[in-house]
Amino acid sequence: MVYDPSMMDVMHGFAGNRMLVNGQAGATAVVPAGIVRLRLLNGSNARIHTLFFDDTRSMHLVATDGGYLPAPLALDVLRLAPGERAEILVDFAAGGAPVLISDPGQPYGVLQFETDSTLTARITRLPDQIDGAPEDLSGKEIRTRQVSLDMGMGGMMMGGGGFAINGRPFDMNRVDFEVALGSVERWNMRSTMVAHPFHVHGVRFRVVSENGALPRPENTGWKDTVLVPGEAEILARFDQPASAETPLMFHCHILEHEGTLA
Ligand SMILES: [Cu+2]
């Protein structure tokens, strides 16, 4: 596998041509003939996965980045941007060898499953409810910030990555926001040119809207990473202490956008 991104790859994020699952190419997961809980993390450096099963079986979403949902949410398709996590329950009781696929437009196999009836399924029925109760943060915010995820060809031509937040490239020695511990803030996010998966350390947030519409089902629980397709509003609760010496980061989760390339 060769990592040799062109300037366009740096702009859009470098998409490799080999799918690895837990570090393995051509991985197969052997599962019991029952309900199996899968913890998914998109560890690709830039690729947004749009996951579905080849036999169109449902995925029951039970948790997102930062916690459980109140009840399982049946999905045919699950979108996962770099850095996002999801936990799903999948019913393999009927046996067979389904394949988890990504990208309805240009499908590629992600993970082959094999059912083994000698294995014991620990989950025998789909729960009606889960303990999760993502807190409603609306109206609790003490301030609103504008966060613009920028990229400029000019900066790139001059040798830098050209990536900036609110017009400023990353600098380890600069603290951008001071936030009161325990407070809730509304951040109005905006991506220019391409969609960026935005990640904040040390917080949990709720997605209020995406491009003016209600959040997609995958974004209805506690999150710490969200794909900002154009505009997104989030309400974030800051419960982790951080000092000027050890500040928390916020950044795009596309690897090529995370720093300035020399
Ligand atoms: Cu980005």
Side-chain angles (χ1 to χ4, degrees):
M1 288 182 282
V2 177
Y3 181 73
D4 183 20
S6 67
M7 185 180 288
M8 285 305 283
D9 289 330
V10 173
M11 281 188 69
H12 295 283
F14 181 83
N17 59 4
R18 294 291 290 278
M19 188 70 216
L20 304 181
V21 176
N22 293 347
Q24 295 178 57
T28 297
V30 180
V31 295
I35 294 171
V36 174
R37 177 177 170 182
L38 300 174
R39 311 187 87 174
L40 306 174
L41 151 71
N42 183 347
S44 298
N45 63 313
R47 201 182 276 273
I48 297 165
H49 294 290
T50 304
L51 301 167
F52 61 100
F53 275 95
D54 63 338
D55 61 2
T56 70
R57 73 181 61 200
S58 289
M59 297 169 278
H60 300 270
L61 184 71
V62 292
T64 55
D65 310 340
Y68 289 111
L69 297 176
L73 205 52
L75 299 175
D76 295 326
V77 171
L78 172 69
R79 191 191 69 186
L80 216 54
E84 286 188 303
R85 289 89 72 210
E87 295 197 15
I88 57 174
L89 300 179
V90 182
D91 192 348
F92 294 99
V99 183
L100 188 64
I101 307 273
S102 183
D103 197 344
Q106 284 182 297
Y108 51 91
V110 173
L111 184 58
Q112 170 78 58
F113 288 87
E114 277 177 23
T115 43
D116 180 346
S117 57
T118 67
L119 299 174
T120 304
R122 294 186 186 163
I123 308 170
T124 52
R125 66 171 191 86
L126 206 62
D128 299 321
Q129 290 188 300
I130 322 166
D131 287 343
E135 184 184 357
D136 182 1
L137 299 176
S138 49
K140 296 181 179 172
E141 68 269 30
I142 60 166
R143 68 170 295 171
T144 299
R145 297 183 199 265
Q146 311 299 325
V147 181
S148 178
L149 308 174
D150 309 319
M151 53 197 297
M153 279 303 285
M156 196 171 285
M157 293 299 187
M158 288 184 291
F163 302 103
I165 293 179
N166 289 347
R168 301 206 281 184
F170 177 74
D171 180 351
M172 186 66 106
N173 296 310
R174 187 189 69 239
V175 173
D176 292 289
F177 295 162
E178 287 184 36
V179 176
L181 185 63
S183 68
V184 174
E185 291 196 351
R186 177 182 293 264
W187 286 12
N188 295 332
M189 316 287 312
R190 192 166 62 92
S191 283
T192 57
M193 295 182 68
V194 301
H196 300 275
F198 180 77
H199 176 50
V200 198
H201 292 192
V203 305
R204 293 205 287 182
F205 61 72
R206 304 291 312 276
V207 180
V208 178
S209 70
E210 294 172 74
N211 285 340
L214 288 174
R216 52 191 296 127
E218 298 95 318
N219 287 339
T220 53
W222 280 118
K223 298 284 293 172
D224 56 40
T225 307
V226 66
L227 187 69
V228 180
E231 292 180 343
E233 284 175 286
I234 62 172
L235 284 166
R237 175 178 275 294
F238 292 81
D239 287 329
Q240 295 293 325
S243 67
E245 290 71 39
T246 56
L248 299 173
M249 301 282 177
F250 55 95
H251 61 91
C252 173
H253 228 296
I254 292 176
L255 192 67
E256 288 73 27
H257 296 183
E258 289 198 41
T260 319
L261 297 182

